[in-house]
Amino acid sequence: MGVTIGMAVSDPYEDTVQATAQPETVVPKLAKSLLTGEPALLTKEEVSSLLSSQVAGLHGGGFQVLDLQCVSVEDGTAEFYIPVSYSGLRLGVSARFTMGCDTEAETIWAELQTVHLGRLPIKAEWVLEIAKNLLPSEVKVEGKRLSVSDSFFDETVLGGAVGLKVQDLRVTPEGFQVQVQGNLERIQSHLGQYLEQFLATGD
């Protein structure tokens, strides 16, 4: 019993440095992807920043999400660290997902493979039941699969201004390879506005 509790409260990612990349760094990459037709490569830090801004502070069932970071990427899989608070106790949850895109269903999906509380492996089904109470309504949970609309980047990064949709998503050792399509004129206009704001800030 004592060993189990010790493994559960032992957090291997407790000293993980918070992501410093901002979602705005993604905009030029998406614009270039539309211009060239080549996939955009998003780093795990950029994806961490995007996702953390969406889930940090979510609460339900006595749990509150404190942060979210992508800590490793391999071919086809990514591991995320999600520290949570429960009854004033900080718990470190880590989860490994396979990820992809379903163009017919118009969704981006992540399927849970393994999950740990600290260093203790726990049942995915139990975690997903808790997740249903924590996640926003835009995230669908079916079995071990979580999914969001393929317009996720358009809505979270561009404010829904461009009609950008993800056509392909692959996890590689270098990061997240994202193929997008959208209204090129609108994203060029949005990028121009972003650059104007950036230059004005630098004055």
Side-chain angles (χ1 to χ4, degrees), residues 122-138:
I122 55 177
K123 289 185 177 181
E125 292 79 6
W126 180 72
V127 173
L128 290 167
E129 280 302 313
I130 295 173
K132 289 178 182 179
N133 294 319
L134 286 170
L135 294 169
S137 59
E138 293 82 6

Side-chain angles (χ1 to χ4, degrees), residues 145-183:
R145 180 171 289 197
L146 287 68
S147 63
V148 295
S149 167
D150 60 0
S151 59
F152 171 80
F153 289 107
D154 190 54
E155 294 162 1
T156 58
V157 182
L158 304 172
V162 179
L164 192 78
K165 291 196 172 187
V166 175
Q167 294 297 292
D168 192 30
L169 171 64
R170 298 168 191 258
V171 185
T172 74
E174 291 74 37
F176 297 81
Q177 188 173 285
V178 183
Q179 184 78 51
V180 295
Q181 72 172 24
N183 188 307

Side-chain angles (χ1 to χ4, degrees), residues 41-42 72-78 170-177:
L41 184 64
L42 307 183
S72 68
V73 285
E74 300 174 6
D75 279 323
T77 65
R170 298 168 191 258
V171 185
T172 74
E174 291 74 37
F176 297 81
Q177 188 173 285

Side-chain angles (χ1 to χ4, degrees), residues 2-174:
V3 173
T4 299
I5 294 174
M7 291 177 67
V9 298
S10 174
D11 186 349
Y13 295 115
E14 186 173 4
D15 297 324
T16 300
V17 177
Q18 291 187 355
T20 55
Q22 298 300 311
E24 288 80 2
T25 61
V26 177
V27 176
K29 291 186 176 183
L30 296 178
K32 183 178 179 181
S33 177
L34 281 174
L35 282 166
T36 64
E38 295 295 321
L41 184 64
L42 307 183
T43 66
K44 66 179 189 291
E45 291 81 13
E46 287 169 328
V47 170
S48 294
S49 186
L50 286 171
L51 295 179
S52 178
S53 66
Q54 298 299 306
V55 304
L58 291 176
H59 56 87
F63 291 87
Q64 179 175 354
V65 179
L66 302 176
D67 194 11
L68 183 149
Q69 293 184 49
C70 179
V71 291
S72 68
V73 285
E74 300 174 6
D75 279 323
T77 65
E79 184 172 7
F80 293 89
Y81 171 56
I82 311 109
V84 299
S85 174
Y86 182 74
S87 297
L89 183 65
R90 187 183 191 278
L91 302 171
V93 178
S94 57
R96 185 173 294 278
F97 293 89
T98 54
M99 302 179 69
C101 179
D102 186 335
T103 53
E104 290 188 8
E106 298 185 332
T107 59
I108 303 167
W109 56 263
E111 190 159 314
L112 184 59
Q113 300 300 311
T114 59
V115 60
H116 287 76
L117 177 61
R119 300 179 188 276
L120 181 70
I122 55 177
K123 289 185 177 181
E125 292 79 6
W126 180 72
V127 173
L128 290 167
E129 280 302 313
I130 295 173
K132 289 178 182 179
N133 294 319
L134 286 170
L135 294 169
S137 59
E138 293 82 6
V139 182
K140 308 302 180 187
V141 181
E142 297 178 345
K144 292 185 178 182
R145 180 171 289 197
L146 287 68
S147 63
V148 295
S149 167
D150 60 0
S151 59
F152 171 80
F153 289 107
D154 190 54
E155 294 162 1
T156 58
V157 182
L158 304 172
V162 179
L164 192 78
K165 291 196 172 187
V166 175
Q167 294 297 292
D168 192 30
L169 171 64
R170 298 168 191 258
V171 185
T172 74
E174 291 74 37

